[in-house]
Amino acid sequence: MGTPLHVLIIDDSEDDAMLLGRQLRQWGYEPDWARVDSVASLTEALERRHWDLILGDYSMPSFSGTRALAMVRECDPDTPYIFVSGTIGEQAAVEAMRSGAQDYVMKGDFKRLLPVIERELREALTRRERRRAEERLAYLAHHDALTGLPNRVLFIDRLEQALRDARRRQRIVGVAFVDLDRFKIINDSLGHAAGDDLLKQVGTRLRALVRSGDTVARLSGDEFTLVLADMGNAEDAAWLGQKILDDFGGPFPIDGREFYISASVGIALYPVDGEDAEALLRHADMAMYRAKEAGRNGYQFYAAEMMTRAANNLALQNALRSALLFEELLLHYQPMIELASGGIGAAEALLRWQHPELGLVLPDRFVPLAEETGQIVPIGMWVLQRACAQCRAWELGGMPPIRIAVNLSARQFAEKNLVAGILQVLEQSGLPAERLELEITESVLMQDTDNAQAALGKLRDAGICLTLDDFGTGYSSLSYLKRFPVSHLKIDRSFVHDLPGDGDAAAIATAIIAMAHRLHIRTIAEGVETREQLQFLRDEGCDFVQGYYYSRPQPDEQFARYLSTCAKPAPDVS
Ligand code: C2E
Ligand code: MG
Ligand code: MG
């Protein structure tokens, strides 16, 4: 049995074709050949199948060799095409090679034809493999390997294309930024394979929600972006935002179990929110963050008002420079109730800014700005001094001794003399180290700097308690808990908020408490507002609770009064 070979012979002579067929057989091939000699028959043959080799006459009475070559090249650039013809002259031969023929062999010169065919079959194979590799590379360069969706490069490309169309036709283009809420938890608790599975399902589901002309891309991690091309009005985008939220209301099956995950969606529209791809993407991203801030599981439009917000931020940042100087900062205190005893275990010092025009400004509004400029370093030291002095003053005033909790920014850990500064404050205030609790967020633990790591160790050695704040919202990595000397862990109020009705929140809270206890870490639930939440946390063995249910953060004199009343038996919490 010879090597199978599909050969298309373009020749007006059946005899010549048969001769070629016979020769190929003699050379050890198993040729399955067909002969064509017109535009129609060639078109039909090219549509019918792929050919390994084409042997074509150059001059036929009713069909031109160059025309046939052009037709073949149009549908297949790789198949070897060899002219087998009578004398065609040097000029025509050169022309034929230029137009994409591999070689030219005189009819009857079989001695030369065989090596030419062998060589060209080999080269065609190489060409095809190279092309496939190139196509694969081009695909990889434009797609996300996990979900098969377009990646950032292709996304920008498609967005730019949509913008060009929209400019011409005066249409609206929407860019949606979709970020999964608390994806990290699924990833960490169920493993990466489950996380990957979820991401794939999210990709498929988003794809199913948009029209075929729209693009769904995965930018990175749990960030997906959509190009909503050619929209009639902005309401279409709102409708899609809602559709995404509704769709995510349905479960995601993973390993035979059902999981729920919500998403936060930010939307920016061309032309109102930006003219180019980069601006639109950035603004959709900002809008997504606003959706997160607004409590997740929602969508937000960018809208120009956010620019005003940015301008305001700048003004606020400038005003903040003088806040310390003009003594505009103050602290409010919020109790943490120890559930076992019912007494006040500690108070958290929460920063406030009495702005001359804006009134009382809350930290979420200005602490991030102070972190950006580094002002949080002196401000943070001021908070520490004030809080420690106050705590000691209460005690000296005859109140029961409680611990004072102070929030530290990750930014403060970049300071070389942070630990020395803290120890000095303790000494000056006369407050024992055990009575100070420092609240840090996971981002501090994630900082790889030796400085941060060493600082945490030294603080703990000095006897200061370290509390991991807002647990569950960041990396939520258990391995960090094991490695760091954390004594308390605060369950983020976003979980507490959904207790006890929400199954996911309940499962997460229960798991955090159980896991913390196994690591000998005490748990605090923040944002407790209702009796039901309290009951749930008590049943699960949570150690401390903090929230409006007991008390809002209050100014020092008011807190002192509260403290003195609570020195008697603790308020009824059962
Ligand atoms: P945090 O440390 O997680 O503080 C808890 C926040 O939850 C406080 O908001 C508190 O008022 C609020 N909260 C307490 N109970 C409830 C409740 O029952 N329901 C609701 N909805 N909220 C409750 P606040 O005072 O606005 O502080 C916000 C954040 O600002 C703090 O979050 C903390 O990260 C930061 N912060 C506050 N003071 C300082 C500070 O001195 N330094 C630094 N670096 N950050 C601070
Ligand atoms: Mg805190
Ligand atoms: Mg917190």
Side-chain angles (χ1 to χ4, degrees), residues 348 407 439 469 490:
E348 178 173 10
N407 292 283
E439 295 198 1
D469 204 352
K490 249 191 202 187

Side-chain angles (χ1 to χ4, degrees), residues 420-545:
I422 293 173
L423 296 180
Q424 196 185 353
V425 167
L426 280 177
E427 200 177 317
Q428 279 167 357
S429 65
L431 191 74
E434 304 72 47
R435 301 265 302 283
L436 176 62
E437 236 173 69
L438 293 175
E439 295 198 1
I440 55 172
T441 53
E442 286 163 278
S443 52
V444 174
L445 303 187
M446 296 295 283
Q447 277 181 3
D448 253 345
T449 58
D450 295 342
N451 206 27
Q453 317 280 309
L456 290 172
K458 281 187 211 149
L459 291 169
R460 191 73 178 112
D461 290 345
I464 296 169
C465 305
L466 295 178
T467 299
L468 195 53
D469 204 352
D470 304 335
F471 190 78
T473 56
Y475 307 96
S476 312
S477 169
L478 303 185
S479 56
Y480 279 91
L481 284 181
K482 268 190 252 160
R483 275 179 29 210
F484 290 97
V486 173
S487 57
H488 294 73
L489 183 157
K490 249 191 202 187
I491 305 169
D492 189 65
R493 64 174 184 271
S494 57
F495 298 113
V496 175
H497 180 266
D498 297 336
L499 292 178
D502 182 300
D504 281 351
I508 290 169
T510 304
I512 293 178
I513 294 168
M515 170 270 301
H517 285 169
R518 225 170 297 135
L519 298 168
H520 306 293
I521 294 171
R522 306 193 80 193
T523 48
I524 307 161
E526 66 177 9
V528 176
E529 293 180 1
T530 67
R531 183 177 282 269
E532 291 73 30
Q533 291 167 347
L534 176 67
Q535 195 55 50
F536 178 90
L537 291 159
R538 184 194 287 284
D539 291 346
E540 292 306 318
C542 185
D543 302 288
F544 296 89
V545 289

Side-chain angles (χ1 to χ4, degrees), residues 282-417:
R282 197 175 61 241
H283 292 165
D285 188 12
M286 284 166 76
M288 183 276 291
Y289 270 101
R290 259 211 326 188
K292 292 247 184 230
E293 276 171 25
R296 306 187 176 97
N297 191 21
Y299 67 90
Q300 291 279 336
F301 279 90
Y302 173 70
E305 87 197 47
M306 289 183 81
M307 284 315 263
T308 328
R309 197 178 147 99
N312 285 343
N313 280 350
L314 206 63
L316 217 52
Q317 233 164 25
N318 285 331
L320 196 54
R321 285 181 215 288
S322 42
L324 256 186
L325 215 59
F326 297 146
E327 301 183 348
E328 291 169 358
L329 298 180
L330 60 145
L331 296 180
H332 280 183
Y333 300 90
Q334 190 180 30
M336 295 180 217
I337 312 296
E338 186 177 32
L339 286 178
S341 67
I344 300 179
E348 178 173 10
L350 293 158
L351 184 58
R352 303 288 181 261
W353 178 11
Q354 189 65 52
H355 188 282
E357 284 137 37
L358 299 174
L360 197 68
V361 187
L362 292 175
D364 283 340
R365 185 78 184 91
F366 67 91
V367 165
L369 302 179
E371 284 171 344
E372 239 170 66
T373 55
Q375 282 165 299
I376 194 64
V377 174
I379 291 178
M381 265 343 252
W382 175 86
V383 172
L384 197 70
Q385 274 158 5
R386 198 70 222 113
C388 289
Q390 185 63 71
C391 187
R392 179 82 177 128
W394 285 327
E395 187 184 359
L396 295 176
M399 315 286 167
I402 57 168
R403 274 181 319 204
I404 187 83
V406 173
N407 292 283
L408 283 192
S409 279
R411 173 68 183 76
Q412 292 176 263
F413 281 85
E415 295 298 302
K416 283 266 172 297
N417 48 11

Side-chain angles (χ1 to χ4, degrees), residues 4-8 49-54 79-80 121 124 128:
L5 193 67
H6 296 285
V7 188
L8 185 62
R49 62 156 307 126
H50 163 80
W51 301 95
D52 301 319
L53 173 68
I54 296 178
T79 306
L121 286 176
R128 199 159 287 130

